[in-house]
Amino acid sequence: MLPDIDAVTRDDLIRLITRYRLRLIKRLSQHFVVDPTVIRDIINHVPSGSKVLEVGTGIGVLTYYLAKVASQVVTIEIDGRLMRIAEQVLRGLDNVSLVQGDALRIPWPSADVLVSNVPYSITSPLIIRIIREGVPRALLTIQREVANRLISEPGNDDYGRLSIITQCNYSVSVLNTYAPDSFYPSPEVYSSLVVMIRKEPCYSDMKILESTTNILFRHRNKVLRWVLNKYIGPDAVNAVANAGVNVNTRVRQLGINELVKVADSLKPFINSIVNHD
């Protein structure tokens, strides 16, 4: 049994992790939370009694504390070695279900909240799946740079496809940022905790919006007319211009409402777009 969340210390968590003398797998981007502040920040944003889906069980520390506030926790871990340790750490908690598998591939149960100390190697694919699954709320610890992309506005260096697809479907806020030594082993970057709350999507056909932004943001600094001509043709330029979008605007300066108009205008050209994806 772990100490109460208000009493647990960084030393407690490091001792627990190092006890097992794990050789971590680099390609899985394995970093464990050892700063109780991170855990408390997450727990404080999980509604009491909610159903939680956790991606990346690790050895079960965060899972343990989630189980104290949630009615049910389903937690997914790809590494069988970690799963066996988590089974020991979580023994006796009857509201936790452990699933071994690749969280990007296996079916997800319905949940009120998805929580993840995200392995850096799967950050973007996981966010895209969250959006496609329509998860009501997500609490993610991710690289600070990716967090900046999620909340970035048109014209900023961080603004891109992930900003648009996410903001079209979710309200996103950065709750806190943590130094590398909040995790073990320490990554080379700072991490941020973000909350994503589902809202009415800005566009009904995400396939078209994803395909459109995929093409446009290959050349984010070019004007829209140039990109459309290169990949689709002058008819697409005319269609977009007729929708009221300035085709002489640089791609990185297009707001979400403008991009929705672009995507809608390109519906007749969808086959050309998909062929370039």
Side-chain angles (χ1 to χ4, degrees):
M1 182 176 293
L2 294 172
D4 184 80
I5 187 59
D6 293 323
V8 69
T9 67
R10 186 176 189 276
D11 288 343
D12 291 331
L13 298 179
I14 290 179
R15 277 195 297 270
L16 177 63
I17 292 167
T18 55
R19 175 192 306 171
Y20 296 103
R21 299 180 180 178
L22 283 166
R23 180 173 294 178
L24 301 181
I25 301 173
K26 187 174 182 179
R27 66 178 174 81
L28 296 181
S29 307
Q30 293 172 330
H31 299 279
F32 305 114
V33 177
V34 292
D35 182 352
T37 300
V38 180
I39 298 174
R40 285 193 287 267
D41 286 347
I42 293 171
I43 297 302
N44 287 340
H45 287 85
V46 174
S48 178
S50 57
K51 293 181 179 179
V52 174
L53 171 62
E54 183 189 24
V55 173
T57 315
I59 65 170
V61 172
L62 177 56
T63 319
Y64 179 90
Y65 292 108
L66 287 170
K68 297 298 182 179
V69 297
S71 62
Q72 179 185 10
V73 180
V74 176
T75 181
I76 303 171
E77 175 57 54
I78 196 171
D79 188 339
R81 302 169 310 145
L82 298 184
M83 183 64 73
R84 288 187 287 275
I85 295 170
E87 288 172 347
Q88 299 176 40
V89 172
L90 301 169
R91 184 181 295 121
L93 295 176
D94 57 8
N95 63 335
V96 176
S97 301
L98 290 89
V99 178
Q100 185 176 346
D102 184 344
L104 295 180
R105 297 179 180 275
I106 66 175
W108 287 358
S110 62
D112 303 310
V113 188
L114 183 145
V115 174
S116 183
N117 174 31
V118 184
Y120 293 161
S121 60
I122 67 166
T123 303
S124 292
L126 180 63
I127 292 170
I128 293 298
R129 180 157 187 197
I130 288 169
I131 294 167
R132 289 175 177 168
E133 296 279 345
V135 174
R137 175 187 290 245
L139 287 158
L140 309 176
T141 310
I142 57 180
Q143 306 100 304
R144 180 171 59 181
E145 291 74 14
V146 178
N148 289 339
R149 288 166 58 195
L150 293 184
I151 62 172
S152 188
E153 297 180 350
N156 292 345
D157 289 342
D158 295 321
Y159 184 67
R161 290 190 69 217
L162 193 61
S163 318
I164 295 152
I165 300 300
T166 304
Q167 292 175 31
C168 178
N169 295 275
Y170 285 81
S171 298
V172 187
S173 302
V174 176
L175 300 177
N176 209 344
T177 297
Y178 312 101
D181 64 2
S182 296
F183 305 87
Y184 180 89
S186 297
E188 297 179 354
V189 297
Y190 278 69
S191 300
S192 294
L193 175 62
V194 301
V195 58
M196 297 168 49
I197 300 175
R198 180 78 173 169
K199 65 180 183 180
E200 186 69 27
C202 71
Y203 192 59
S204 60
D205 195 329
M206 290 308 299
K207 181 179 176 61
I208 292 177
L209 186 60
E210 287 182 35
S211 297
T212 301
T213 54
N214 183 29
I215 287 178
L216 298 186
F217 279 86
R218 294 176 187 178
H219 304 282
R220 52 182 286 113
N221 292 317
K222 295 287 188 180
V223 297
L224 178 58
R225 178 194 300 275
W226 186 93
V227 181
L228 293 175
N229 265 321
K230 176 177 175 63
Y231 288 101
I232 307 175
D235 288 345
V237 176
N238 292 333
V240 170
N242 290 337
V245 178
N246 183 353
V247 294
N248 294 313
T249 303
R250 295 191 185 278
V251 169
R252 62 183 173 83
Q253 295 175 325
L254 293 167
I256 291 179
N257 290 338
E258 292 172 297
L259 286 163
V260 165
K261 290 181 181 179
V262 174
D264 211 39
S265 302
L266 295 180
K267 272 188 175 182
F269 309 94
I270 188 64
N271 289 334
S272 297
I273 296 173
V274 171
N275 289 337
H276 284 97
D277 279 0

